[in-house]
Amino acid sequence: MFSIFFLLLSFSSCVLTSSHPDEVKDLPGLGFPLNYKHYSGYLNATKGRYLHYWFVESQRSPSSDPVVLWVNGGPGCSSLDGFLNELGPLHVAADGMSLYNNTYAWNRVANVLFLEAPAGVGYSYADDQQYSTDDDSVSYDNYMALQHFFKKFPKFKNNEFYITGESYGGIYIPTLSLRVLTGPANINFKTFYWKDFAIGNGYLDVQNLTNSLIFFAYYHSLIGPKLWTSLSQYCCGGHATQETCNFADSPSQDCQNAVSEASDIVGGTGLNIYNLYSDCVQSQDKNSRYLFDKKNLLRHLPDSKKGNKYFDDPPCTDASNLRKWLNQPSVRQALHIRPHVQDWDICSSEVGMGYNQLYYTMRPQILQLIGSGVLRGLIYNGDVDMACNFLGDEWFSYHLGLKVTKEFTPWKVDKQIAGFFKSYGNLTFVTVKGSGHMVPQDKPAQAFKMIESFLSRKPL
């Protein structure tokens, strides 16, 4: 009897102390203890497609804090950049060998799921290695992956759930959110527990972002008065306003010539499109996130530099430290990366070159989400970003036709103005003063205050 009791007790203890198979037990370069659990592995998308995820539990209260999904854009760039450079709790040092703590990590107040999508990006892959895709396919794969995530982590099914991200995430987030809102998933997506969405420096409307970029350049002293006079005369009928100007596809050759000159200044003079006031890092990174976003930024403007020579100048970001750390065999093993999976890179040229953009505005999607009556939306922009400039997203928010419930108002961090916000009922537009494209990286304290306020429904 004693032996049987001892065996049962031992078995019970093993069950109670058993860990999740995807739990990360140690990380090379980590020299300090963590006060949270984290997990890395694969989520099933459509047949034969597997999306890598890295999930960090909240440092505060995992059982009651919300679950926040984070996706980066590109299209074709990795959300581990968001983890290791922006809002994640661990950042990679410049030497590419050691990790340090991020004081303003979003998992101080939330459980955060970083998803590398679509297949072919980062450590995500497809069995057939065919990586051509489009907006609808990406949203469906992400939708399937989310269902698998909650099967792997059922204890989080009743937590509030938020969908967030940045850049081309301006397409990913609304399209995925609509699937979550209207789809037949057999999990608690459509109940009280799914809350809201947040889009940072989002690629929300091509026409707005293209036209507003020229205004941004002029009012930030990049375009001189002579060129501005030509732009105003040939593209705006002599009076430059949002309503009168057409910089994107004017049939006037004079307008096209003037816009080509302006786009040469923005994209071809060594300016950092992510942050106008930051210097360019002189990296020769051929798969730089910078080059992917620069391609999106300039492709709708007339190009006087034939042959896409915008891409000849060195990119302004450098991910060599991330690449060095993530591609160590010991790191791959710790993150449960499957042996046959490609080396990690910040962006995938296969995905980027084979990507088919289906949507050029998210107006119908955002209106449907906000019109549901139960969801809130946050659109925020660093105000010195040119990749997805604040003015274009401000125009987008205003022209949704929603009722203004609070006019442009400053918000503060440590008694200093951190930016401005404007409310349209359940939708809020926020600027972050002095930040570029990657707000949690450029202004971590401000980004943390903003997301904490949003998640807790407190005023900024």
Side-chain angles (χ1 to χ4, degrees):
M1 288 291 293
F2 177 78
S3 298
I4 293 173
F5 175 76
F6 179 77
L7 287 172
L8 288 173
L9 182 63
S10 299
F11 176 74
S12 176
S13 299
C14 289
V15 170
L16 290 173
T17 59
S18 63
S19 62
H20 194 284
D22 287 352
E23 184 175 353
V24 178
K25 295 293 190 179
D26 60 80
L27 276 176
L30 181 63
F32 51 90
L34 302 179
N35 63 342
Y36 54 88
K37 292 184 177 181
H38 60 129
Y39 312 83
S40 171
Y42 286 91
L43 301 174
N44 298 338
T46 50
K47 186 176 181 181
R49 302 174 78 83
Y50 306 93
L51 303 186
H52 173 247
Y53 79 94
W54 197 344
F55 176 56
V56 289
E57 290 189 359
S58 173
Q59 300 180 44
R60 186 173 63 180
S61 177
S63 62
S64 59
D65 282 342
V67 174
V68 172
L69 169 68
W70 175 270
V71 290
N72 278 85
C77 295
S78 168
S79 296
L80 295 194
D81 186 30
F83 188 119
L84 298 167
N85 263 338
E86 298 186 66
L87 60 134
L90 301 172
H91 284 187
V92 179
D95 62 5
M97 297 300 293
S98 57
L99 300 170
Y100 63 93
N101 180 59
N102 175 20
T103 306
Y104 296 103
W106 289 13
N107 82 320
R108 284 174 52 188
V109 294
N111 306 285
V112 187
L113 169 63
F114 296 86
L115 185 66
E116 294 198 280
V121 171
Y123 284 138
S124 298
Y125 71 97
D127 286 336
D128 61 8
Q129 298 185 5
Q130 298 300 306
Y131 296 124
S132 295
T133 189
D134 59 48
D135 296 331
D136 284 340
S137 298
V138 170
S139 68
Y140 189 68
D141 273 354
N142 291 347
Y143 179 60
M144 298 299 290
L146 280 180
Q147 294 178 59
H148 190 204
F149 170 79
F150 284 106
K151 288 179 181 177
K152 279 195 171 193
F153 297 93
K155 69 178 183 178
F156 292 102
K157 284 177 67 174
N158 290 333
N159 295 50
E160 293 181 352
F161 178 61
Y162 294 76
I163 299 176
T164 70
E166 71 187 14
S167 196
Y168 201 81
I171 303 290
Y172 292 162
I173 295 163
T175 52
L176 173 60
S177 295
L178 269 183
R179 288 197 186 274
V180 170
L181 182 67
T182 62
N186 188 28
I187 51 179
N188 255 343
F189 273 150
K190 293 191 291 183
T191 70
F192 169 80
Y193 302 111
W194 181 46
K195 284 295 186 183
D196 309 307
F197 61 91
I199 301 168
N201 291 71
Y203 193 73
L204 289 166
D205 187 285
V206 171
Q207 188 78 15
N208 280 336
L209 289 172
T210 302
N211 277 333
S212 61
L213 179 61
I214 304 299
F215 282 93
F216 181 98
Y218 175 63
Y219 287 109
H220 284 81
S221 301
L222 306 183
I223 292 175
K226 182 179 179 181
L227 176 55
W228 180 248
T229 298
S230 296
L231 289 163
S232 179
Q233 178 180 349
Y234 299 126
C235 306
C236 311
H239 183 56
T241 68
Q242 179 193 351
E243 291 74 24
T244 60
C245 294
N246 179 11
F247 300 122
D249 52 12
S250 170
S252 164
Q253 187 60 53
D254 288 330
C255 174
Q256 292 180 29
N257 291 341
V259 174
S260 293
E261 187 177 346
S263 60
D264 289 351
I265 294 169
V266 172
T269 57
L271 293 173
N272 187 337
I273 64 164
Y274 281 149
N275 189 323
L276 176 60
Y277 299 150
S278 288
D279 293 334
C280 274
V281 176
Q282 299 300 298
S283 166
Q284 298 299 327
D285 191 347
K286 65 183 178 67
N287 282 339
S288 167
R289 177 179 171 187
Y290 175 83
L291 293 184
F292 276 66
D293 285 326
K294 198 170 184 182
K295 177 183 176 183
N296 265 335
L297 169 72
L298 297 170
R299 67 175 172 160
H300 300 288
L301 294 174
D303 178 7
S304 69
K305 294 190 173 184
K306 304 303 180 184
N308 261 344
K309 301 219 173 149
Y310 294 120
F311 300 94
D312 286 351
D313 62 330
C316 292
T317 59
D318 185 3
S320 59
N321 60 328
L322 303 191
R323 190 179 297 105
K324 182 178 179 180
W325 186 77
L326 282 165
N327 284 317
Q328 295 177 82
S330 57
V331 172
R332 288 173 62 102
Q333 183 177 2
L335 296 178
H336 310 122
I337 305 305
R338 294 169 180 171
H340 66 279
V341 173
Q342 69 274 357
D343 287 348
W344 185 89
D345 210 340
I346 192 167
C347 296
S348 165
S349 56
E350 288 183 273
V351 173
M353 295 297 291
Y355 197 92
N356 181 23
Q357 183 178 349
L358 302 178
Y359 301 105
Y360 291 89
T361 181
M362 286 287 103
R363 176 184 168 87
Q365 290 81 356
I366 296 294
L367 284 175
Q368 187 173 346
L369 291 168
I370 296 299
S372 69
V374 296
L375 302 178
R376 294 179 306 142
L378 172 66
I379 296 173
Y380 65 90
N381 285 72
D383 65 8
V384 291
D385 171 35
M386 293 191 291
C388 294
N389 71 85
F390 83 94
L391 187 57
D393 284 350
E394 183 181 355
W395 289 354
F396 173 84
S397 302
Y398 176 77
H399 285 289
L400 289 172
L402 302 171
K403 182 180 179 181
V404 176
T405 53
K406 192 171 187 65
E407 285 291 354
F408 226 51
T409 304
W411 62 285
K412 295 183 177 181
V413 173
D414 296 331
K415 299 182 180 180
Q416 298 294 321
I417 291 179
F420 297 82
F421 72 95
K422 185 174 183 177
S423 297
Y424 303 86
N426 281 348
L427 181 70
T428 301
F429 172 76
V430 178
T431 65
V432 183
K433 182 172 69 73
S435 176
H437 194 64
M438 287 78 83
V439 173
Q441 181 176 345
D442 287 353
K443 297 291 181 179
Q446 291 83 342
F448 181 78
K449 164 73 180 298
M450 178 186 65
I451 199 66
E452 181 186 27
S453 299
F454 184 64
L455 296 178
S456 62
R457 295 177 173 261
K458 297 186 299 187
L460 271 174

